[in-house]
Amino acid sequence: MGIAKLACALGALVAVTPAQAAPSQDEQFWFLTLAQGSVKDDILYMLEVQPRFGGDGSNLNQILLRPAVGVKLNDRLSVYQGYAAVRSPRSSGADVTEDRSFQQLNWSMGKVAGGALTSRTRFEQRWLSTGNDTGWRARQMLRYALPLSNKPRRLAAIASVEAFVALNDTDWGARSGFDRVRSFAGLEVPLSGKSTVEFGYLNQYVDNRGRRDSMNHVMAINLMLRQ
């Protein structure tokens, strides 16, 4: 599958919205910094920090801190156990805080039409300050990177799609079933060593279950610091 066909497929996916109730819209800015590498032999680590700004980019909507440790099983597979601390500021009342435990499988699926296809599968256990229940959620992401030259360190076009499915109902508002989908298209620019920076457009469509759905148009920058 070429990058153009993949981009069209992602566009078709996010276009599937209820015609009778257009979602609310917001323009946002997300900046992710991810540090990752190996501690010793096949023991891996990663640490993410991401502030997310909404309200047309003027307000801090959420800040996320996500560390994890992992094991490299072979050249294509690695597994992680991690924790995420999420804080969502509120203009009135106390901030909403969330703690997550998660398990993650990264799979390098190989070459497709000259590009690299990778998969990330994540299971989350979620606890929010607004309730007592544990929420279970599954996330599946596919990412495709197509080099734009034959140089060893080169610019690449990238596209990804990630689907979120809640596995149970909770007293803080989660409802089992489809939760949201994120689709991204952009460029990957090489930095020093193995590090890169990605920038592009991310579309997030959220099924709000009984309330008006929402769609976020996100300018996303991902700084990937690789050891």
Side-chain angles (χ1 to χ4, degrees):
M1 179 184 290
I3 190 69
K5 290 183 179 179
L6 184 57
C8 289
L10 295 179
L13 180 61
V14 300
V16 180
T17 60
Q20 69 275 18
S24 62
Q25 312 274 331
D26 188 24
E27 295 179 0
Q28 301 190 358
F29 171 66
W30 297 4
F31 182 74
L32 169 70
T33 301
L34 168 63
Q36 60 182 348
S38 60
V39 178
K40 183 180 180 182
D41 298 329
D42 294 331
I43 305 302
L44 309 174
Y45 73 89
M46 69 175 188
L47 174 63
E48 296 181 25
V49 180
Q50 186 182 53
R52 299 172 179 175
F53 297 88
D56 296 331
S58 60
N59 302 315
L60 178 63
N61 274 2
Q62 197 171 71
I63 185 163
L64 185 149
L65 174 66
R66 183 161 36 210
V69 295
V71 177
K72 182 179 179 181
L73 302 179
N74 54 46
D75 289 341
R76 292 197 169 193
L77 291 171
S78 58
V79 293
Y80 288 87
Q81 170 61 51
Y83 164 78
V86 184
R87 180 175 291 273
S88 302
R90 294 291 181 263
S91 57
S92 59
D95 294 351
V96 177
T97 60
E98 177 182 348
D99 294 292
R100 297 179 194 168
S101 172
F102 68 91
Q103 301 77 46
Q104 180 172 306
L105 173 68
N106 290 356
W107 177 23
S108 177
M109 301 174 70
K111 297 292 184 180
V112 177
L117 184 64
T118 56
S119 165
R120 185 184 74 195
T121 305
R122 182 180 290 169
F123 292 97
E124 298 175 325
Q125 301 82 51
R126 309 172 64 203
W127 300 273
L128 268 68
S129 59
T130 52
N132 298 311
D133 292 344
T134 300
W136 293 78
R137 186 167 70 178
R139 301 169 53 169
Q140 177 61 52
M141 184 178 77
L142 291 176
R143 180 182 185 273
Y144 183 74
L146 180 67
L148 299 181
S149 77
N150 295 320
K151 297 179 181 179
R153 298 281 294 159
R154 60 223 180 183
L155 188 71
I158 55 176
S160 67
V161 61
E162 183 175 19
F164 296 62
V165 177
L167 303 179
N168 67 316
D169 297 346
T170 69
D171 61 356
W172 43 261
R175 295 294 177 264
S176 61
F178 170 73
D179 180 60
R180 68 192 63 203
V181 61
R182 293 177 184 167
S183 304
F184 175 81
L187 293 173
E188 180 184 58
V189 180
L191 301 176
S192 61
K194 299 179 182 179
S195 298
T196 61
V197 61
E198 303 171 356
F199 61 91
Y201 168 72
L202 185 147
N203 181 287
Q204 176 173 250
Y205 184 88
V206 182
D207 185 346
N208 287 318
R209 310 297 178 82
R211 297 180 292 113
R212 187 181 181 189
D213 292 348
S214 56
M215 180 179 289
N216 302 321
H217 304 280
V218 183
M219 177 182 176
I221 298 177
N222 304 323
L223 178 60
M224 319 296 280
L225 304 174
R226 299 183 178 93
Q227 181 184 13

